[in-house]
Amino acid sequence: MALSSSLSFGPLLRQLRKQAGMTQRDLAAALGYSIALISGLEKAQRRPDLQAVTERFIPALGLQDDPHMAAALIEQAALARGERPPALVTLQRTTQVTVQHTLAEPVTALPAPPTELIGRAAAVNQLCKRLLGHGGRLLTLVGPPGVGKTTLALAVAREVQHHYRDGVHFVPLAAVSDPLVMAATIIGAVAPGDVSTKPPETQLIELLRRRSPLLILDNLEQIVGAAPLIGTLLAECPTVTILATSRERLHLRAEQRYKVPPLDLAAAVDLFTQRAQAMDSDFVLTPQNQPTLEAICKRLDCLPLAIELCAAQIELFAPVQLLTQLHAHPLDLLVDGANDLPPQHRILRVAIERSYRLLRGEEQSLLRCLGVFAGGFALAELAAVIEEGTETGDWRLHDGMITQPLFANLQSLIGKSLVRAETTATGEQRFLLLETIREFALEQLWAHGEDAEVRQRHYLTYLHLFRTGDSYLRGPKATTWMVRLESEQENLRYALQWKLDTKQPIDAAWLLMAVHYFWFTCTQRYEAGQWLVKLLPYRHQLPIDLRLITLINFYGSALELEGFQELDCYKNELMELLDDCADVRLQAAAWYFLLFSATSSQTITMTEKSVASARAAYSLPPLDRKFCIAADRDYILTANLWVYGRRLIDQGEFARAMPVATETLQLLRKQGNQLTIPHGLASLGRLAIFQGDLAKAYTYFHEAVTIAKIFQNRYMQCSSQLFAGLVTLYQGETVTALQLLNESLRLSLEMQEIFLLARTYTYLAELSLLEGDLEQAQHWWTQSLAYPTFPHQNAIGAFTRVLFAARLATAQQQHRRAATLFGYASRMYSHLYDVIAGPIRTLADAALATVQAALDPAVFAEAFAAGQQMAFKEVFAAILMPGAADIVHHDYSTSKPSSNKNNSKPLLPAVCTEP
């Protein structure tokens, strides 16, 4: 955290406290103040005492070695009191003076480190300052099994050992469970051979009362009476300092707590590499294996013990194999630790099991159940799964409130470092298990025979959550629910995979229906398509209505995605199911997706019937809400109107398109659906382009981009920016156009949306051509040919590419070649149902006029006629570029002309059909 010395006293104190890794309770204990006083100082509700800040706060915060920040804190304290800052500040440690003995060195009994400590330098430095600078004499390192608490404590002890007159003593307590044995064990470490008939606690106090040692008390969590003994020891022995390790804090007033975090990723990879090289001297970190090693360390939560145990298997498995094994059975791999490790550190499962056995029965039960949560959980879902939130068979989520016993058990698991609590960007609390602990919890859940029941409750909980979320995603609360559902995707995937693995396709289909619109909106359509492909082999087991909607969702997801183009068999099956479906509401939903890809002379007629079907469905009682998007009458009507308006625009029916596009946008605004309003704006923007009103077009697209950015709809942002870029280009603002197109290129590359990439490269080529940079125009146009256009734009996309090639050849003064391309383009256009309109018509007409003027009329007529006779593959192979004919699978030289042509036919901008 970057600190600013310009902050006032309260905020500066709060930042310095957090930098020291202290809570308000920790700082209060170190100073002997109340928590309320510390809180009041940080909130500027109390005035600081200047002398106390200088003499007590500075050492308590470990600022002896940071005079700049110490002086800033003192200065701000003076200003908070309305006083002049002192001219000179002398910083002193508040630790006792170490007496130098010339006759004997302090007794130190620390195990020598067998390996180098990696990734903990900052933590060691911070803990040394806390240990030496604080008035409090108890510092507890807490953390989950395998995080490296003992190793860190020993590293700190080695750094500070010379500050303790009576030395440092390491006391391993993993095998101790009784406080009397604990006292005797400490005596044995401090004064071996000291024999007394007194009780161990009395003997220990008498032994340490006049001594000044540092005691390292390792592994305290299993000793029930450890805290009272340590409290007594601190009270009776005022010069004893204790550094303890435990899974949970001791809850003593003098205690400071430090949560030991996992290693950062870079340090984790370094540790893996070092330990792997100890097993295999030929092992090296390379750019090729680094991503795999990073994935391994992430899978192990960057826990040092887990990494060491995993790296020890490098003789048996290559890194890629290790990663595969970790995804399958991680705990089975993390065994065979070094013999000089304590028994509980040789096998990670044993280390976790040791913590598990210390839990009470209800805590063990809760930990087992928490294993079903993937990627964390919120309180509402926890309550639903654990407390079986059912009411008369209807599964309902709790309102976020959980019962006191459940809350107490969860809090206990957090305190024992088995569950982590995090604050999300929205300020809400979220809880999660480290993956190694979660794997152990799932093992125990299965061993207790609870797996099927708890996972079914988990499935029902997230089915309900995503169904509820779906009902809000097309309204004013869409963004709130987008954020909430985003954080629960891992749980949804986990439930979905379980249903598929256990051959329960009906349950899987309902869950996929619940998440479909969310994934569609988040541009996760490829993932949706992949899951649906897994379900499709079982589709004949689904009820007819569910099977119909499942196929509709698959068709809608896969339509615009690479790798899912073989859809004809499913389309035919859809049509058969539609014939068997008497529900007009489901028919309206089905026609929306089917007509989305239609390109024929009957498209407008079919779309009009679809809109009529949607209006009829709107007047009927709604479908059961379990059908989610298909049951949303407002959405289905608006979506059908949007497709209808789009088809009217595509086919040049601009006068008829205007009221339809206007009604669509009005409905979207009325519904408050900010995520889809940009689609309505885009339709009106395209219409404005085609009618030559570029200023109005830019207004529509600019608003669409603004909304998409606010609501983080990257797909719509990219698409709208492309049109905005094209409009600004045609307005002559090439610098702005280039900025918009480059940003769209970045977004489309990030999303790997191949159809947006095709359009982006085409528009960049258009920009370069208009600027006269013909080489760059050729480059961008060639790039565009590597990507197909949208399936329902296949024909118009291919045509506009040929038209662009003709204009480029004209600019290159290759007039005969341009005439041939214009000839083929004219034949293509006669077979299209879409029209070309707007500035591109002006540009195409100008290029064609240039070619006609440059060539002898006979030469032009010959080249033009030759182009009209050429096959599509010939055009691309001979004139454009080899292999490029794969961008479309239709030969226009053998097609019949379209009967649905507008003789005036204004021309459409290149690849400018909205997806």
Side-chain angles (χ1 to χ4, degrees):
M1 174 172 52
L3 292 177
S4 172
S5 58
S6 63
L7 294 172
S8 60
F9 178 79
L12 182 59
L13 175 62
R14 180 169 58 251
Q15 286 204 18
L16 289 169
R17 170 178 61 76
K18 290 183 176 181
Q19 177 184 260
M22 303 174 74
T23 64
Q24 289 183 343
R25 181 187 297 275
D26 293 336
L27 184 56
L31 296 168
Y33 292 167
S34 68
I35 299 175
L37 176 60
I38 301 299
S39 177
L41 288 171
E42 292 186 352
K43 294 178 181 177
Q45 296 171 349
R46 300 285 295 268
R47 291 200 306 171
D49 180 274
L50 196 57
Q51 183 177 356
V53 170
T54 305
E55 296 178 358
R56 304 182 67 183
F57 279 72
I58 297 302
L61 293 166
L63 297 177
Q64 306 94 320
D65 299 325
D66 192 348
H68 174 70
M69 292 310 302
L73 185 65
I74 294 170
E75 178 183 0
Q76 292 303 326
L79 293 174
R81 295 182 58 82
E83 301 174 2
R84 292 177 70 87
L88 181 65
V89 178
T90 302
L91 302 179
Q92 300 178 3
R93 291 190 184 275
T94 59
T95 55
Q96 62 202 54
V97 176
T98 303
V99 178
Q100 298 296 325
H101 292 278
T102 58
L103 298 178
E105 288 291 324
V107 176
T108 299
L110 293 177
T115 59
E116 175 190 358
L117 184 66
I118 293 177
R120 298 295 196 193
V124 169
N125 183 52
Q126 179 182 339
L127 290 170
C128 287
K129 289 182 178 180
R130 290 184 65 175
L131 204 57
L132 295 173
H134 285 215
R137 293 177 290 116
L138 170 62
L139 176 58
T140 307
L141 309 187
V142 298
V147 79
K149 300 182 293 293
T150 301
T151 303
L152 182 57
L154 288 170
V156 172
R158 278 187 286 274
E159 291 294 320
V160 301
Q161 56 187 324
H162 298 297
H163 292 276
Y164 295 92
R165 184 185 65 204
D166 293 302
V168 179
H169 303 275
F170 178 71
V171 187
L173 297 168
V176 176
S177 58
D178 187 287
L180 291 178
V181 178
M182 172 183 167
T185 304
I186 298 173
I187 293 170
V190 175
D194 192 339
V195 179
S196 173
T197 59
K198 296 179 181 180
E201 181 177 329
T202 303
Q203 182 186 357
L204 179 62
I205 291 172
E206 290 180 353
L207 179 65
L208 296 177
R209 182 168 282 144
R210 286 176 294 279
R211 295 195 184 189
S212 302
L214 171 63
L215 303 181
I216 312 297
L217 304 184
D218 189 43
N219 285 299
L220 287 174
E221 60 269 0
Q222 77 286 345
I223 306 174
V224 177
L229 173 60
I230 292 174
T232 301
L233 190 61
L234 291 170
E236 297 290 338
C237 307
T239 55
V240 169
T241 303
I242 296 174
L243 178 59
T245 72
S246 178
R247 306 281 164 82
E248 58 182 320
R249 67 179 301 166
L250 298 170
H251 297 281
L252 294 171
R253 286 181 299 168
E255 183 182 27
Q256 308 164 48
R257 178 183 59 176
Y258 178 80
K259 291 184 178 180
V260 181
L263 295 173
D264 62 45
L265 185 58
V269 172
D270 287 345
L271 177 61
F272 184 97
T273 303
Q274 183 196 79
R275 302 313 303 146
Q277 287 173 342
M279 304 299 298
D280 179 1
S281 59
D282 293 330
F283 183 85
V284 292
L285 175 65
T286 66
Q288 289 71 36
N289 66 21
Q290 183 169 344
T292 303
L293 298 189
E294 290 177 350
I296 289 172
C297 292
K298 288 178 182 178
R299 186 69 177 84
L300 296 173
D301 303 306
C302 292
L303 291 177
L305 176 60
I307 291 169
E308 291 197 24
L309 295 175
C310 184
Q313 309 297 326
I314 201 68
E315 288 183 314
L316 298 176
F317 302 102
V320 173
Q321 294 172 311
L322 276 177
L323 183 58
T324 302
Q325 292 288 326
L326 284 174
H327 282 298
H329 303 289
L331 293 180
D332 290 342
L333 192 67
L334 306 178
V335 297
D336 297 332
N339 290 330
D340 58 348
L341 286 171
Q344 71 272 17
H345 289 168
R346 295 177 192 170
I347 300 176
L348 187 59
R349 183 184 280 107
V350 172
I352 300 172
E353 186 173 9
R354 181 172 175 272
S355 291
Y356 176 74
R357 294 192 181 282
L358 294 173
L359 301 176
R360 292 178 288 111
E362 58 267 30
E363 293 172 343
Q364 290 182 349
S365 177
L366 176 58
L367 184 65
R368 292 195 299 271
C369 292
L370 294 184
V372 301
F373 290 103
F377 55 91
L379 287 179
E381 287 70 54
L382 171 68
V385 173
I386 305 303
E387 298 184 332
E388 303 184 49
T390 56
E391 299 177 6
T392 62
D394 181 20
W395 195 266
R396 299 184 185 277
L397 289 181
H398 290 237
D399 59 4
M401 300 298 293
I402 62 176
T403 61
Q404 182 57 36
L406 177 55
F407 180 79
N409 288 329
L410 177 63
Q411 198 170 37
S412 178
L413 293 180
I414 294 171
K416 291 176 170 62
S417 304
L418 294 171
V419 175
R420 295 168 62 186
E422 295 181 348
T423 303
T424 66
T426 60
E428 298 178 349
Q429 283 289 95
R430 189 166 179 81
F431 309 90
L432 67 156
L433 276 65
L434 295 177
E435 278 301 310
T436 47
I437 296 175
R438 178 171 175 259
E439 183 71 20
F440 177 84
L442 286 172
E443 287 182 357
Q444 294 299 312
L445 190 69
W446 182 85
H448 283 75
E450 302 164 338
D451 181 71
E453 178 187 354
V454 175
R455 293 189 72 167
Q456 177 65 9
R457 296 205 302 264
H458 177 268
Y459 160 80
L460 290 172
T461 295
Y462 287 96
L463 175 65
H464 179 94
L465 176 67
F466 275 84
R467 278 179 176 170
T468 303
D470 178 82
S471 67
Y472 287 101
L473 289 181
R474 292 170 294 281
K477 296 182 180 180
T479 47
T480 301
W481 275 93
M482 289 289 289
V483 172
R484 183 172 183 189
L485 297 183
E486 170 69 30
S487 63
E488 300 297 354
Q489 288 195 85
E490 286 302 315
N491 279 303
L492 177 128
R493 294 179 183 114
Y494 188 68
L496 189 54
Q497 189 61 57
W498 178 60
K499 286 299 181 181
L500 290 172
D501 290 343
T502 53
K503 304 295 189 295
Q504 301 180 66
I506 294 177
D507 285 350
W510 286 121
L511 191 53
L512 280 170
M513 186 171 298
V515 74
H516 175 77
Y517 184 77
F518 170 75
W519 274 346
F520 197 87
T521 304
C522 293
T523 64
Q524 292 177 233
R525 288 171 291 173
Y526 192 84
E527 179 174 2
Q530 288 180 311
W531 282 108
L532 286 162
V533 164
K534 294 179 182 179
L535 178 65
L536 287 178
Y538 307 101
R539 66 187 184 278
H540 296 290
Q541 299 178 31
L542 307 180
I544 288 181
D545 286 354
L546 181 56
R547 180 180 161 199
L548 173 63
I549 299 299
T550 297
L551 284 173
I552 290 172
N553 287 345
F554 176 67
Y555 202 79
S557 297
L559 183 63
E560 299 172 355
L561 298 175
E562 189 173 20
F564 292 103
Q565 270 70 56
E566 298 299 326
L567 298 175
D568 286 345
C569 62
Y570 299 114
K571 184 175 180 179
N572 295 336
E573 186 176 337
L574 253 178
M575 299 303 295
E576 293 175 4
L577 288 170
L578 271 174
D579 290 339
D580 295 334
C581 177
D583 195 319
V584 68
R585 298 166 297 185
L586 291 180
Q587 289 177 347
W591 279 115
Y592 161 61
F593 287 109
L594 289 171
L595 291 174
F596 192 77
S597 64
T599 52
S600 73
S601 61
Q602 300 300 313
T603 298
I604 290 181
T605 301
M606 293 166 62
T607 311
E608 288 172 341
K609 291 180 180 178
S610 177
V611 170
S613 175
R615 292 194 190 278
Y618 194 84
S619 63
L620 298 173
L623 281 169
D624 190 314
R625 75 182 190 93
K626 66 184 180 181
F627 283 99
C628 294
I629 186 175
D632 188 334
R633 297 178 300 173
D634 290 326
Y635 177 81
I636 296 301
L637 174 59
T638 307
N640 274 281
L641 282 170
W642 178 70
V643 173
Y644 180 35
R646 173 180 174 148
R647 289 296 174 250
L648 289 171
I649 295 171
D650 289 345
Q651 297 191 14
E653 300 284 353
F654 300 148
R656 295 173 61 192
M658 178 59 77
V660 177
T662 302
E663 182 185 3
T664 302
L665 182 59
Q666 289 172 344
L667 287 173
L668 288 171
R669 292 194 190 278
K670 181 180 178 181
Q671 294 160 18
N673 188 352
Q674 297 293 332
L675 294 173
T676 53
I677 285 174
H679 290 278
L681 290 166
S683 291
L684 286 168
R686 290 179 57 232
L687 193 54
I689 291 177
F690 302 159
Q691 293 177 324
D693 192 341
L694 297 181
K696 182 180 287 187
Y698 181 80
T699 300
Y700 286 128
F701 288 124
H702 180 70
E703 183 183 354
V705 171
T706 301
I707 294 173
K709 283 183 177 179
I710 292 173
F711 295 96
Q712 298 181 357
N713 186 340
R714 293 195 304 161
Y715 184 94
M716 201 62 220
Q717 177 189 342
C718 181
S719 179
S720 299
Q721 274 184 177
L722 282 170
F723 287 120
L726 191 70
V727 170
T728 54
L729 173 62
Y730 289 147
Q731 289 177 315
E733 300 174 17
T734 55
V735 174
T736 302
L738 183 60
Q739 291 174 344
L740 290 168
L741 295 179
N742 281 335
E743 174 63 11
S744 295
L745 179 60
R746 182 187 66 80
L747 287 172
S748 54
L749 285 170
E750 283 180 3
M751 294 184 292
Q752 280 301 296
E753 287 283 349
I754 58 174
F755 305 115
L756 288 181
L757 279 169
R759 190 189 302 163
T760 304
Y761 287 129
T762 300
Y763 290 179
L764 284 167
E766 181 77 7
L767 184 147
S768 297
L769 177 60
L770 292 181
E771 285 194 311
D773 189 342
L774 304 186
E775 183 178 350
Q776 189 63 35
Q778 180 74 45
H779 166 75
W780 288 128
W781 181 73
T782 303
Q783 289 281 89
S784 78
L785 294 179
Y787 300 94
T789 55
F790 287 99
H792 56 279
Q793 299 173 7
N794 219 4
I796 189 68
F799 167 73
T800 53
R801 288 176 171 185
V802 173
L803 194 64
F804 180 87
R807 291 173 52 215
L808 180 59
T810 303
Q812 294 168 333
Q813 297 186 9
Q814 299 175 9
H815 298 122
R816 186 180 182 91
R817 177 168 169 264
T820 304
L821 288 169
F822 275 121
Y824 185 74
S826 71
R827 181 165 184 81
M828 290 182 74
Y829 192 52
S830 68
H831 297 280
L832 295 180
Y833 300 104
D834 294 354
V835 299
I836 305 299
I840 197 67
R841 176 60 182 268
T842 304
L843 294 169
D845 285 347
L848 182 59
T850 298
V851 172
Q852 287 178 303
L855 294 175
D856 181 270
V859 173
F860 173 82
E862 179 185 358
F864 193 88
Q868 288 183 312
Q869 299 302 314
M870 292 184 74
F872 187 75
K873 289 184 180 293
E874 289 180 291
V875 173
F876 272 78
I879 301 179
L880 302 179
M881 61 178 294
D886 291 336
I887 66 170
V888 71
H889 307 288
H890 186 74
D891 187 347
Y892 294 93
S893 62
T894 60
S895 300
K896 294 181 179 179
S898 166
S899 59
N900 185 38
K901 297 303 293 185
N902 183 339
N903 289 331
S904 60
K905 54 181 182 187
L907 297 181
L908 183 74
V911 196
C912 199
T913 303
E914 168 60 22

